[in-house]
Amino acid sequence: MSKSPWQSIKATDVLFIVDAAHSVEERVLMDWLNRTQLDAGFDGNVSHCVVPIAHDPENIPTDRLYSALDVSDDALVVPVRVVWRTSLDDLNRKPHLRDLLRGNPRRPNQKRAETLLLKDPTRALCIAGNPATLKDLETRYRKRKEIASIDDNLAEYVAEQASLALEVAERRLRGGRYKVPRQVSKQVRASQRYKMGLLEIAKQTGSTEEQLRNRALPYFKELVALPHIFWQDVAAAFNRWVISLGYEDKLVVNHQQLEKYRAIVREHPTALLWTHKTHMDGITMQSILFENDFPPPHTMGGINMAFAGIGFLARRSGAIFIRRSFQDNPLYKLVLREYLSYLLEKRFPLTWSFEGTRSRVGKLMPPRYGMLKYVMDAMQESSADDLHIIPVAINYDMNNDVKDYAAEDSGSIKRPESLSWFISYLRRMRQPLGRIYVDFGEPVVVSKSSFQDDHLALQKTAFKVGVEANRVTPITLTSLMSLSLLGAAPRAQTIDEMLENMNALRAWAEHRGVKFTSDFDDDQQEHMLDLIDNMVNSELINRYDEGPETVYAVAADQQVMASYYRNSIVHHFVPKAIAELALLEAAHTAADPLTAFWNEADRLRDLFKFEFFYAPTDEFHREIRQELSFFDQDWEKTIEEHGQALALLRSMKPLIAHATIKPYVEAYRIMADVFARLSNTETLDEKAAVSAAFKYGRQAYLQRRISSKASIGQILFKNAFKVMTGLKVVEAGGAELVRRRKTESQRFRNLSHRIERIRTLAMPIDLDL
């Protein structure tokens, strides 16, 4: 039942702004006002003005309102609207194709509205926005004019305020997920900061302010999202449909965490940065927030994703498409910065992928600073307070993009995004892929002062986000199975052997507080068998069941794909892997083995700095100490006084260095061998070095100098080139350069042999022989 608008009216003069798109809505509202006026016994002066606001809130006609405002200053201005109840008000209801054909069911046309009223008059609910006196509106309008010339006249300002008041009232019925900004371009263009920015660019370029304003209009049209309630519903239904093609309907998320972050999003400028493993990430993020009634985040992404159809829908559900390159375009930078500043000031959350591109190898990639820098610059310019960055880890039982990644990392050309590409992508989604898991880390709070005072603040912020995203990344059944099978390779495992190994890894991880997915709370073996079937069917692993026992293995051609899943959790095991390798080094050092242990641990930490996000050095040392103390409280004494480093290593079951960091060491070894074959006057740039590493790597695999094709990859070789640059063996030099190159090559061979030694120590003893 519609609530009477007269209950809060104390004035003697009232002006109703009637938001009606057609005569049916006008009739419903006027009947409601007349009926409730009689019930309330109001005998003051009442006037009305029909202003179609909801029809196009970005362009509200105000001609009639201009003359209607000729009332007393004490007159109370009350906006009213019809809210049409639809099945879409059910949180889990989706729009159908007929909704697209007939038009927005929340805003029916005149004929459909008439039909709805005949069938069920209660479908039309009349609401009123918060009222204000004309005097108050005039005062606020004048104050705003002093800051920015947004509205040409009072009527435009009143119409805008009426629109905002009605949206707030309607959101109380519809939900917080429909909170969207209005007339953004207009407000940004009228701001004082934007004007000052234009003047600065005019000085630099010699263009006039008017010329710059005109040139900026296409940028506003290109950048500014136009979220619309109906298209938000359509996008939510589309996202859900895409997820259901391969994944289970229920997204696994901690709802207590969600409620905690709801308050942060409401009270602070917020950015949600998610790990990027597949094109499904953005779809998953939007679904989680929509289904839990969060304000829709503005999702920032590359303009390459704004192709036909998807671009239209994404823009109308909150997507901001940004050009790949605009360093030499100060006007575009200004428009983007001021747009983001506006969103931060108004508490509209932003979201984008932390890495800027999908991880082709499974582990968290180094961040792309561009997007974060745009937002940080916008925060500096805005009146917003501290920015709260919420790391979000999105993980999957299985990822349909992995086959593409394996091909791309082997040198294949990536297919450009387009509508035909997207249709093909959806077709390949039609297979069982398991569950999707979403986990939230602790917020990283960035203050304006810290960003101003520290030129490394951007890198430090990104590092903290990466560490926190890794911390909350859970271990999935797929990733743990891949780790187990790759660690045993080339040996196959029975189900019992796999379970035994996985349980040992699980016990180790649980003791250190590593998170696991909810799968481990279920009947693990039953779910694991289902998952194994999916992995076999997708050609991720092989199953052989013609012998006395069924065994499973990762075949040579499957190791690149299996490594992807292993790499998604490898960061949890890196400190232990480094400790194992450092112990083996200490075991072969007669003089001061404890010092040798720490020197090697620090060297390895630095060696893999392009692969992993580490805690600061002191915390890393603490992690190493805790790891070794778990097996021997007096481990330092054991190493130093008794020379029992090897015995300590043998006790540290499960051993995992061979199962976790072997591909990185072998890739580095390949790159070191490439440079060791050059004369001192020869060098290679990155492109040539990577090409040479691919060729030599394939030969090395055939000769079994390396153990896996997973050690041959573009990203691995690019990082290996960075390592060689740090070791100063890339650039041409004097005669001693050949010796240094060969020395480094030998060091990587020795490290590979050490890892192979650990693999041998980890192998189970077959008592059946």
Side-chain angles (χ1 to χ4, degrees):
M1 182 177 178
S2 302
K3 182 180 176 182
S4 172
W6 301 94
Q7 295 174 358
S8 59
I9 294 177
K10 307 301 180 186
T12 56
D13 294 336
V14 182
L15 168 61
F16 284 102
I17 297 180
V18 179
D19 178 9
H22 44 70
S23 60
V24 175
E25 288 189 343
E26 182 180 353
R27 186 181 75 236
V28 169
L29 286 168
M30 293 307 299
D31 288 348
W32 172 62
L33 291 176
N34 292 332
R35 184 178 67 255
T36 52
Q37 180 181 359
L38 288 173
D39 293 341
F42 183 83
D43 58 359
N45 299 316
V46 180
S47 57
H48 312 85
C49 180
V50 176
V51 181
I53 296 174
H55 177 69
D56 185 2
E58 298 295 325
N59 300 285
I60 304 171
T62 58
D63 294 343
R64 282 186 282 183
L65 182 58
Y66 185 83
S67 57
L69 290 176
D70 187 16
V71 293
S72 68
D73 288 346
D74 295 328
L76 198 65
V77 180
V78 185
V80 293
R81 169 183 292 174
V82 178
V83 173
W84 294 92
R85 295 181 185 274
T86 76
S87 54
L88 292 177
D89 293 323
D90 180 354
L91 198 62
N92 297 313
R93 167 65 163 79
K94 310 171 195 175
H96 294 291
L97 178 61
R98 64 175 179 267
D99 295 323
L100 292 174
L101 298 176
R102 293 179 181 174
N104 184 356
R106 299 190 192 277
R107 303 279 183 252
N109 59 31
Q110 182 170 327
K111 183 178 179 181
R112 193 175 179 197
E114 195 74 70
T115 302
L116 289 172
L117 285 177
L118 287 172
K119 288 183 177 180
D120 183 4
T122 63
R123 295 280 293 275
L125 181 69
C126 300
I127 63 169
N130 283 339
T133 64
L134 182 60
K135 182 178 181 181
D136 181 43
L137 290 167
E138 287 176 333
T139 301
R140 284 152 50 188
Y141 170 64
R142 284 195 297 270
K143 287 182 178 179
R144 182 151 133 177
K145 285 283 283 185
E146 293 174 1
I147 302 172
S149 300
I150 297 176
D151 307 293
D152 292 336
N153 52 58
L154 177 61
E156 286 193 8
Y157 177 76
V158 172
E160 178 195 320
Q161 295 303 300
S163 176
L164 293 174
L166 287 169
E167 289 210 2
V168 170
E170 187 170 348
R171 268 204 315 273
R172 295 192 186 104
L173 301 173
R174 307 280 198 203
R177 56 185 172 166
Y178 296 115
K179 178 186 177 184
V180 296
R182 294 297 185 202
Q183 299 186 333
V184 176
S185 296
K186 179 179 177 181
Q187 295 190 62
V188 171
R189 291 199 303 270
S191 71
Q192 193 63 32
R193 284 199 312 266
Y194 181 66
K195 290 180 179 179
M196 296 302 293
L198 289 177
L199 290 175
E200 185 63 31
I201 295 173
K203 290 179 183 177
Q204 296 171 1
T205 63
S207 300
T208 66
E209 183 182 348
E210 187 61 28
Q211 288 173 330
L212 292 173
R213 281 188 176 279
N214 291 331
R215 287 179 202 163
L217 290 176
Y219 298 156
F220 278 100
K221 186 175 181 180
E222 179 182 305
L223 280 168
V224 176
L226 299 171
H228 187 285
I229 288 178
F230 175 64
W231 291 111
Q232 285 177 259
D233 288 328
V234 173
F238 177 76
N239 291 342
R240 255 299 169 192
W241 173 75
V242 172
I243 290 170
S244 70
L245 291 176
Y247 293 100
E248 294 182 14
D249 286 340
K250 185 179 179 181
L251 302 177
V252 183
V253 62
N254 187 320
H255 290 279
Q256 289 183 334
Q257 288 181 327
L258 268 180
E259 290 310 308
K260 173 182 176 182
Y261 297 125
R262 190 189 301 277
I264 293 175
V265 168
R266 183 170 55 246
E267 297 170 7
H268 302 282
T270 308
L272 297 98
L273 270 61
W274 31 272
T275 56
H276 200 8
K277 294 183 172 64
T278 164
H279 288 296
M280 294 298 298
D281 297 323
I283 289 173
T284 298
M285 196 71 213
Q286 292 288 342
S287 287
I288 283 286
L289 297 179
F290 184 87
E291 291 172 11
N292 288 277
D293 202 30
F294 263 68
H298 282 68
T299 303
M300 299 195 292
I303 201 166
N304 59 304
M305 295 302 293
F307 50 81
I310 295 301
F312 174 90
L313 180 59
R315 284 187 197 280
R316 283 154 183 79
S317 54
I320 303 172
F321 293 112
I322 300 175
R323 295 182 180 183
R324 291 291 188 180
S325 177
F326 51 88
Q327 293 305 311
D328 299 325
N329 191 336
L331 185 57
Y332 185 93
K333 287 183 184 178
L334 174 66
V335 173
L336 176 60
R337 185 175 67 243
E338 293 306 317
Y339 176 34
L340 297 179
S341 294
Y342 174 86
L343 294 175
L344 291 170
E345 288 174 344
K346 301 299 182 182
R347 304 292 189 268
F348 289 104
L350 302 172
T351 186
W352 68 93
S353 68
F354 172 71
E355 298 134 296
T357 186
R358 292 170 294 155
S359 172
R360 265 70 172 175
V361 293
K363 66 184 179 65
L364 190 65
M365 300 294 288
R368 297 282 180 91
Y369 295 114
M371 207 77 80
L372 183 59
K373 187 177 188 306
Y374 305 151
V375 174
M376 298 299 293
D377 287 344
M379 188 185 76
Q380 294 294 103
E381 292 288 324
S382 74
S383 60
D385 57 10
D386 297 345
L387 177 67
H388 286 58
I389 302 175
I390 301 174
V392 185
I394 305 176
N395 291 277
Y396 306 81
D397 276 336
M398 297 184 68
N399 182 346
N400 199 45
D401 296 13
V402 171
K403 287 184 181 179
D404 292 341
Y405 296 158
E408 289 174 25
D409 205 41
S410 298
S412 298
I413 303 299
K414 175 180 174 289
R415 183 180 174 186
E417 289 83 3
S418 65
L419 184 58
S420 62
W421 161 85
F422 189 62
I423 292 171
S424 173
Y425 183 85
L426 294 179
R427 285 174 178 161
R428 290 187 289 117
M429 282 282 295
R430 292 182 176 277
Q431 57 179 308
L433 297 171
R435 300 170 180 169
I436 302 178
Y437 311 91
V438 183
D439 293 88
F440 297 84
E442 289 298 315
V444 176
V445 182
V446 186
S447 66
K448 285 185 177 182
S449 58
S450 66
F451 194 72
Q452 290 169 341
D453 299 339
D454 187 354
H455 70 283
L456 295 177
L458 186 68
Q459 290 87 336
K460 290 178 180 178
T461 299
F463 175 81
K464 289 177 182 177
V465 173
V467 169
E468 188 60 19
N470 269 341
R471 184 186 69 80
V472 299
T473 295
I475 292 178
T476 65
L477 271 174
T478 314
S479 60
L480 197 61
M481 286 167 57
S482 297
L483 178 64
S484 176
L485 289 171
L486 286 168
R491 186 178 183 272
Q493 288 185 321
T494 65
I495 280 288
D496 290 339
E497 287 174 329
M498 195 160 28
L499 273 175
E500 181 181 358
N501 193 35
M502 288 172 61
N503 285 335
L505 290 167
R506 182 182 174 188
W508 175 90
E510 283 181 335
H511 182 78
R512 286 147 186 82
V514 178
K515 298 181 65 173
F516 284 79
T517 61
S518 54
D519 295 329
F520 291 90
D521 299 332
D522 302 334
D523 182 342
Q524 181 184 345
Q525 186 160 351
E526 181 180 347
H527 185 65
M528 185 170 69
L529 291 172
D530 291 339
L531 200 53
I532 286 175
D533 286 339
N534 294 342
M535 294 171 75
V536 171
N537 293 335
S538 65
E539 301 179 347
L540 179 60
I541 63 175
N542 279 350
R543 174 167 54 201
Y544 181 78
D545 54 8
E546 295 183 9
E549 294 177 294
T550 300
V551 294
Y552 299 86
V554 177
D557 291 336
Q558 299 163 331
Q559 290 187 0
V560 175
M561 290 192 295
S563 291
Y564 180 93
Y565 296 100
R566 182 265 314 277
N567 291 345
S568 67
I569 60 169
V570 71
H571 57 276
H572 292 305
F573 301 90
V574 168
K576 185 177 191 297
I578 287 177
E580 291 173 7
L581 290 169
L583 276 174
L584 203 51
E585 175 72 9
H588 294 89
T589 304
D592 200 356
L594 185 60
T595 299
F597 170 84
W598 282 116
N599 287 343
E600 181 67 0
D602 287 338
R603 186 184 78 85
L604 292 173
R605 178 181 185 273
D606 185 67
L607 182 66
F608 299 121
K609 64 187 175 183
F610 299 114
E611 308 293 351
F612 307 110
F613 288 84
Y614 294 112
T617 303
D618 290 345
E619 189 174 341
F620 172 77
H621 284 177
R622 181 177 58 79
E623 289 176 353
I624 296 290
R625 289 189 176 93
Q626 286 180 343
E627 181 60 41
L628 293 172
S629 295
F630 176 73
F631 297 97
D632 183 351
Q633 290 293 324
D634 296 321
W635 65 272
E636 290 178 300
K637 187 176 179 181
T638 300
I639 294 174
E640 193 167 36
E641 295 185 4
H642 305 297
Q644 295 297 310
L646 187 57
L648 175 57
L649 176 62
R650 291 178 185 274
S651 72
M652 291 176 60
K653 298 295 177 69
L655 297 174
I656 46 83
H658 64 292
T660 52
I661 58 176
K662 192 175 187 178
Y664 308 102
V665 174
E666 290 186 340
Y668 293 179
R669 173 186 171 178
I670 291 168
M671 186 62 75
D673 285 354
V674 166
F675 279 96
R677 293 169 181 271
L678 301 178
S679 70
N680 63 294
T681 60
E682 292 179 299
T683 186
L684 297 171
D685 62 16
E686 183 188 79
K687 184 177 180 180
V690 169
S691 176
F694 264 112
K695 294 173 183 176
Y696 174 63
R698 293 180 182 117
Q699 173 192 321
Y701 175 71
L702 291 173
Q703 295 175 301
R704 292 305 185 262
R705 292 177 180 174
I706 60 173
S707 63
S708 170
K709 289 183 178 180
S711 304
I712 304 171
Q714 194 168 97
I715 295 173
L716 285 171
F717 288 152
K718 284 183 176 181
N719 284 343
F721 182 83
K722 294 176 186 176
V723 171
M724 297 307 124
T725 302
L727 294 173
K728 301 187 184 307
V729 297
V730 171
E731 298 298 328
E736 82 289 349
L737 178 61
V738 172
R739 179 187 57 80
R740 284 196 291 110
R741 284 173 169 172
K742 290 183 176 180
T743 298
E744 292 300 339
S745 173
Q746 187 60 49
R747 290 184 75 179
F748 282 108
R749 293 184 183 206
N750 292 341
L751 187 55
S752 292
H753 294 155
R754 235 188 296 164
I755 288 179
E756 186 60 25
R757 178 80 184 279
I758 290 174
R759 188 184 78 84
T760 303
L761 292 173
M763 288 179 62
I765 300 174
D766 196 339
L767 299 177
D768 293 334
L769 293 178

